Amino acid sequence: GNSVTQMEGPVTLSEEAFLTINCTYTATGYPSLFWYVQYPGEGLQLLLKATKADDKGSNKGFEATYRKETTSFHLEKGSVQVSDSAVYFCALRGNNDMRFGAGTRLTVKP
Amino acid sequence: EAGVAQSPRYKIIEKRQSVAFWCNPISGHATLYWYQQILGQGPKLLIQFQNNGVVDDSQLPKDRFSAERLKGVDSTLKIQPAKLEDSAVYLCASSLIRTGQETQYFGPGTRLLVL
């Protein structure tokens, strides 16, 4: 079946550092890929998505590229801010299925 | 635009009791999803509705869990009888349509503790 594996946390970075959170997937067919974020005290919300191979999703300075050859969708940001502290979830949608990774907690220190 | 509403926000029950959660999706959203999120894990999809019909409930433990969306708007998720391992946050989400690429909008969740 479909599955998502993401980098274990927690991740602690200093402000303006470069961020990478790894995400790999296993799926049949052509799934859509997502990154959802949960800020402290808030509900899950979509950060970005990509619906086909080589697509790049981007939002709020974050980017992720749908790599079919490596079955990956790594999240990157060039310069993190304290306000980026949150839990990040990689997710896959295929047919009637929706699978989430376990989440990676990011803390950014000033 | 109002978001997805869920109630109650917190519930504590003893094992073997029953419990029900309510969800009101964003107005006009045809698709509704229920997830279970156990501490330290990502959300697990339990059931999804398209209007008032079930699209998929393959991961719903049907011996104790049930869900309905009678008029294609609000939905309830019920657990009867509850087990200790049902302690989790139950999330409701909705989307405008179901395309495989849709953005899902999540509610704040109901945190359930089974003692």
Side-chain angles (χ1 to χ4, degrees):
Chain A
N2 297 340
S3 66
V4 175
T5 302
Q6 67 179 99
M7 171 178 167
E8 287 188 18
V11 174
T12 302
L13 296 173
S14 297
E15 207 164 24
E16 299 184 5
F18 184 85
L19 168 71
T20 300
I21 301 178
N22 290 338
C23 172
T24 57
Y25 68 90
T26 302
T28 55
Y30 304 95
S32 295
L33 301 174
F34 305 81
W35 278 99
Y36 278 82
V37 60
Q38 187 168 29
Y39 297 104
E42 298 184 17
L44 274 167
Q45 57 187 273
L46 179 70
L47 179 60
L48 54 84
K49 67 180 179 182
T51 59
K52 61 183 187 295
D54 300 325
D55 266 3
K56 178 186 284 188
S58 61
N59 186 26
K60 299 181 180 180
F62 290 88
E63 293 183 341
T65 301
Y66 189 161
R67 302 284 188 200
K68 192 168 177 63
E69 63 276 13
T70 54
T71 61
S72 64
F73 192 55
H74 305 322
L75 183 68
E76 296 183 337
K77 185 174 185 181
S79 176
V80 293
Q81 305 301 311
V82 172
S83 57
D84 294 327
S85 297
V87 182
Y88 293 81
F89 293 90
C90 185
L92 172 158
R93 180 113 168 106
N95 296 324
N96 288 326
D97 198 20
M98 185 77 175
R99 301 277 175 165
F100 282 82
T104 301
R105 181 177 298 277
L106 170 67
T107 301
V108 181
K109 296 189 172 181
Chain B
E1 176 181 79
V4 176
Q6 291 188 245
S7 68
R9 293 295 308 276
Y10 305 92
K11 190 74 177 178
I12 300 174
I13 62 172
E14 295 186 349
K15 60 183 179 183
R16 292 188 289 273
Q17 286 187 321
S18 63
V19 64
F21 313 126
W22 173 83
C23 173
N24 181 240
I26 293 173
S27 178
H29 280 197
T31 311
L32 185 147
Y33 316 79
W34 282 103
Y35 290 86
Q36 179 193 58
Q37 186 175 16
I38 293 172
L39 187 64
Q41 300 180 18
K44 172 187 170 184
L45 181 63
L46 295 176
I47 187 169
Q48 49 184 317
F49 293 91
Q50 180 75 14
N51 296 309
N52 60 349
V54 176
V55 172
D56 183 78
D57 61 358
S58 57
Q59 297 198 85
L60 187 73
K62 299 182 189 62
D63 57 333
R64 298 184 300 106
F65 287 64
S66 64
E68 60 183 12
R69 193 185 184 199
L70 289 176
K71 297 183 180 179
V73 181
D74 294 5
S75 177
T76 56
L77 176 70
K78 297 179 182 178
I79 308 175
Q80 182 178 11
K83 293 186 175 182
L84 297 177
E85 59 261 35
D86 298 331
S87 294
V89 177
Y90 291 84
L91 299 169
C92 179
S94 70
S95 65
L96 193 58
I97 55 175
R98 187 175 60 91
T99 64
Q101 307 171 7
E102 72 277 11
T103 297
Q104 296 184 22
Y105 296 85
F106 284 81
T110 297
R111 188 176 298 273
L112 174 68
L113 179 60
V114 182
L115 302 176

